[in-house]
Amino acid sequence: MQKGTLFSRRLSLTKIIAKSYISPSLVLLAMDWPDGETRQDFLGFAIRRKPGFFNNKTEVFADSSWLPNRLGFDGPPPSGEPDPPSDKAPIQKFLWWDARLDGLAPNSKVSYEISPVCGNVSDFNLISDDTTIVEITLPPHTEFGIGTWFNRAVMSSQAFSRILKSMGLKTNEVPVPENALKLRTWLSNGMEQPLPNFISSASSVVGAIYHLTDNLWVIPALQAAMTTASIGLIYDQHLDKQGNPKPNPNNEAIGILSNVSFFSRRKTNIMHNKFLVSGERLLEDDNANPTQLTCGSANYTTGGLTSQANLLHTFNSPDLAGLFLRRYQLLKKDPSKSNTAKEAGWSQTVSVGDAGIRVFFSPEKKQANNFTSLSIETIVEAIHSAKSSVVFCLFTPTDERLRQACFALGDAGKMMFGLVNHVSKHEPETNPSPSGTIPADELAALEIYHRSKEAKDVIGAEYFHAEIVPPGFDPEINIFPGEKPPPYSPVIIHHKFVVIDAETESPTVYTGSANMSGNSVYHNDENLLEIKGSPRLARIYLAEFLRLYEHYRARARFIDFKKKGGNASQAGLALKKDRSWANKHYTPGTPEYKARLRMLVV
């Protein structure tokens, strides 16, 4: 089939069609069965993986394993029983991910054998003649000079709840340090490694950090490195009306890191950057030699690396590192906001591996009688020029033109999915705690967009509350075990990215520290990367986005069902016993129909 063809020859096909989207810690499978459009006894897909899952007790991989389904035809399995395998509980989705890759090294070969399942609930079979095998090679985190890490960041998951149960922990119980580290490491999903490795391998490090409080990995790495390396860091600091420094979360780190040169940044709303540059003699402005860069959405806090959804990149590029070094050199002098804005604008394009990258540093200057931001306008134009899709995963975006561009794309019949964190200014009305803080089983509102501004789900703070947990599910939490609940809804989605045409050969990624809001554009120190020409990287973003999207949309469906007083089957918490589960995927115009086609363009 030619690239870009949307199954014009579907009727001549019978075998399952499948495509993989691979990140270093996740394999997303998109699949379709042409005969499923007419087979009324189509019950779903069975997927068998080779090699199978790793047994932690025997430290041996199974020869093969069926990917599990959380649901069966009668709902979730009874408490304490394992999830049923997909040959017994078919997967009634056209997108499915495998994150059970523990023990598999980079460059490992993995195959997925996908079969359609047909029949009735008491007597169904795998249609082996139409089975398709998808073979993948698990990528390393760093390829072509670009390193990419996404954390798991999903405490509100059955997997995390099961880990707590295996440790005998209650949600309000402080784990012993050994177990706390295991839990944090599981959540970080490898993202605890690149920052310490980056710091320890350099003879000189400079950067700009908003919050530096992580005592597990980052501060110890800086403490060890400062004995031999020259290190300079800009941090966010403001004064009260009397001219005294306000309380600052970075003070403890500044006290510990006595050999690090710290520079306070006071003259923008916030210094919101999170980047480090490594090289030689970086504190010598006229003799510096930058070599590498790390940046992303994650603050250098334990929560930023673990419990908030974030990403980190590393770039082996002296040219790109040099752009960030020059920004560091400017900001450490603490210029006024207006003087800083004079330097705003897109950089030249830098080639890094298979990608072309530009960077935009905020704040930028407001134009008289013109509220168009140069950085946001670039993203808006790219969205309107999209060939097929846009996905966005953002923390409280406020730019109306950006949101409307995304919705317009969906209204035009293209694929649009979005996940937005919204932190409420008020405590939720449902089950407020006597202490005036948010309980651990309540959540910031999330907005989940399927196609347009109106086509969305909203998860309120009451979702998956411990008192209304679905049958067969364990209670979930959103605050690390034993931590004191904050007086505000916790941050769940901290990402700041937009990906355009991710499933094509010509994608564009926008990512960085900027929340794509009015403050980030005009009042904050920020960085925004534009990355073009790397389908490999865009597909990592897409796979990781859909993992979060599907997770939280399932929970949105549950709370909607609970409000309406429905049963588990109506909430999608049990498998359908006929082909009705697939109807929306074969109905033109639905988000599911567009996604089924777009994700499988080959």
Side-chain angles (χ1 to χ4, degrees):
M1 188 177 297
Q2 292 183 346
K3 203 172 291 181
T5 301
L6 292 182
F7 302 120
S8 58
R9 293 160 49 200
R10 292 183 80 258
L11 296 178
S12 66
L13 301 171
T14 55
K15 281 185 174 293
I16 282 178
I17 306 163
K19 183 177 179 179
S20 61
Y21 294 81
I22 312 167
S23 91
S25 59
L26 171 72
V27 178
L28 175 70
L29 296 170
M31 49 208 170
D32 186 27
W33 185 42
D35 285 356
E37 189 165 3
T38 56
R39 287 284 296 261
Q40 295 305 308
D41 61 348
F42 179 30
L43 294 178
F45 299 97
I47 305 176
R48 182 166 62 176
R49 192 187 87 182
K50 293 183 179 181
F53 301 140
F54 186 72
N55 188 316
N56 289 317
K57 293 182 179 179
T58 63
E59 296 188 347
V60 173
F61 283 100
D63 179 64
S64 67
S65 296
W66 293 98
L67 296 192
N69 196 343
R70 185 73 188 95
L71 305 176
F73 289 105
D74 297 318
S79 180
E81 292 191 11
D83 292 340
S86 54
D87 65 325
K88 306 299 182 186
I91 292 165
Q92 294 184 342
K93 291 275 191 178
F94 290 81
L95 295 172
W96 199 254
W97 72 80
D98 176 20
R100 294 182 59 171
L101 303 177
D102 296 341
L104 289 172
N107 299 312
S108 295
K109 304 290 185 182
V110 183
S111 67
Y112 295 89
E113 185 181 278
I114 309 171
S115 304
V117 178
C118 291
N120 56 61
V121 173
S122 59
D123 182 22
F124 56 80
N125 298 290
L126 277 63
I127 312 300
S128 58
D129 286 347
D130 287 358
T131 295
T132 287
I133 297 177
V134 176
E135 296 180 333
I136 66 105
T137 300
L138 194 63
H141 281 282
T142 301
E143 287 188 296
F144 304 105
I146 302 175
T148 308
W149 288 262
F150 282 75
N151 59 8
R152 280 193 178 97
V154 183
M155 291 187 293
S156 61
S157 69
Q158 291 298 288
F160 192 75
S161 295
R162 289 177 177 180
I163 296 173
L164 292 184
K165 183 182 289 187
S166 71
M167 291 179 173
L169 280 172
K170 297 179 181 178
T171 58
N172 60 351
E173 184 179 352
V174 178
V176 299
E178 180 183 359
N179 284 341
L181 182 59
K182 288 180 180 178
L183 292 169
R184 289 292 189 187
T185 302
W186 186 88
L187 290 167
S188 65
N189 197 33
M191 208 166 80
E192 79 283 0
Q193 298 174 5
L195 287 173
N197 291 345
F198 186 93
I199 293 165
S200 64
S201 62
S203 62
S204 184
V205 176
V206 297
I209 50 96
Y210 177 48
H211 285 165
L212 174 60
T213 62
D214 173 51
N215 285 309
L216 286 180
W217 302 296
V218 182
I219 292 177
L222 287 167
Q223 192 173 17
M226 71 182 184
T227 60
T228 57
S230 59
I231 303 174
L233 296 175
I234 301 165
Y235 69 100
D236 183 64
Q237 173 70 76
H238 295 280
L239 305 178
D240 61 23
K241 293 180 180 179
Q242 288 72 43
N244 299 313
K246 291 182 178 180
N248 192 299
N250 300 310
N251 285 342
E252 181 180 347
I254 292 171
I256 293 172
L257 302 173
S258 55
N259 288 347
V260 173
S261 298
F262 282 95
F263 304 91
S264 61
R265 174 62 163 152
R266 301 175 178 178
K267 294 179 182 175
T268 47
N269 276 19
I270 58 174
M271 199 297 300
H272 198 238
N273 282 301
K274 316 100 170 33
F275 71 80
L276 296 175
V277 176
S278 68
E280 299 172 330
R281 304 175 299 278
L282 299 184
L283 271 67
E284 304 174 23
D285 289 358
D286 297 329
N287 199 31
N289 180 31
T291 56
Q292 293 184 309
L293 164 73
T294 180
C295 61
S297 63
N299 287 311
Y300 297 171
T301 67
T302 303
L305 297 174
T306 62
S307 55
Q308 299 172 357
N310 275 309
L311 66 90
L312 280 175
H313 279 304
T314 59
F315 298 95
N316 185 8
S317 168
D319 290 338
L320 191 59
L323 295 175
F324 279 77
L325 172 63
R326 286 192 286 278
R327 194 63 176 183
Y328 160 83
Q329 292 170 341
L330 172 68
L331 296 186
K332 76 175 183 178
K333 300 172 184 176
D334 198 22
S336 66
K337 185 167 67 175
S338 60
N339 283 335
T340 309
K342 292 178 182 178
E343 303 295 324
W346 286 104
S347 73
Q348 75 275 17
T349 299
V350 175
S351 296
V352 186
D354 58 345
I357 303 176
R358 296 193 299 168
V359 61
F360 192 105
F361 292 109
S362 300
E364 57 181 288
K365 184 179 179 181
K366 273 189 176 180
Q367 304 299 318
N369 301 319
N370 183 356
F371 297 100
T372 300
S373 153
L374 177 59
S375 58
I376 297 297
E377 180 66 16
T378 301
I379 305 175
V380 169
E381 289 181 358
I383 292 170
H384 282 302
S385 299
K387 297 177 180 177
S388 62
S389 69
V390 62
V391 300
F392 57 95
C393 195
L394 301 168
F395 173 72
T396 58
T398 61
D399 190 275
E400 182 67 15
R401 295 185 69 250
L402 175 63
R403 296 201 308 270
Q404 292 303 326
C406 293
F407 301 147
L409 190 82
D411 290 339
K414 298 175 183 178
M415 187 174 77
M416 187 214 79
F417 294 122
L419 182 58
V420 174
N421 195 102
H422 173 71
V423 178
S424 174
K425 295 181 180 178
H426 306 287
E427 185 177 31
E429 296 178 358
T430 304
N431 298 316
S433 68
S435 64
T437 57
I438 305 298
D441 55 358
E442 296 189 3
L443 177 66
L446 299 180
E447 295 179 337
I448 307 167
Y449 293 95
H450 322 314
R451 189 179 71 86
S452 67
K453 186 175 182 180
E454 288 73 31
K456 69 177 180 180
D457 292 321
V458 178
I459 302 178
E462 71 273 30
Y463 105 109
F464 260 49
H465 190 279
E467 295 178 1
I468 57 171
V469 67
F473 282 70
D474 292 321
E476 298 178 355
I477 65 172
N478 292 286
I479 298 170
F480 194 76
E483 285 193 348
K484 183 180 178 181
Y488 48 82
S489 300
V491 174
I492 303 299
I493 302 299
H494 196 250
H495 281 301
K496 302 101 169 43
F497 67 78
V498 177
V499 188
I500 300 165
D501 293 337
E503 80 286 10
T504 74
E505 295 302 309
S506 300
T508 301
V509 177
Y510 293 97
T511 189
S513 73
N515 285 320
M516 303 182 196
S517 64
N519 279 335
S520 72
V521 167
Y522 297 118
H523 303 296
N524 297 349
D525 292 308
E526 307 275 10
N527 63 82
L528 174 67
L529 299 178
E530 178 190 73
I531 306 174
K532 291 189 172 185
S534 179
R536 171 192 62 82
L537 189 59
R539 288 165 189 167
I540 291 175
Y541 271 82
L542 183 59
E544 294 286 353
F545 166 81
L546 283 168
R547 175 179 66 89
L548 289 172
Y549 175 88
E550 292 287 351
H551 174 83
Y552 286 115
R553 191 177 182 197
R555 278 135 185 80
R557 292 188 65 181
F558 169 71
I559 194 168
D560 183 61
F561 129 81
K562 196 65 181 180
K563 287 178 177 177
K564 295 176 180 177
N567 58 39
S569 177
Q570 291 169 326
L573 297 176
L575 297 181
K576 300 292 185 182
K577 298 182 180 182
D578 55 29
R579 206 214 65 165
S580 62
W581 67 274
N583 288 344
K584 58 190 175 184
H585 297 275
Y586 292 114
T587 303
T590 64
E592 292 81 6
Y593 178 87
K594 286 193 283 287
R596 178 176 61 86
L597 297 182
R598 289 308 326 164
M599 295 291 289
L600 279 164
V601 172
V602 293

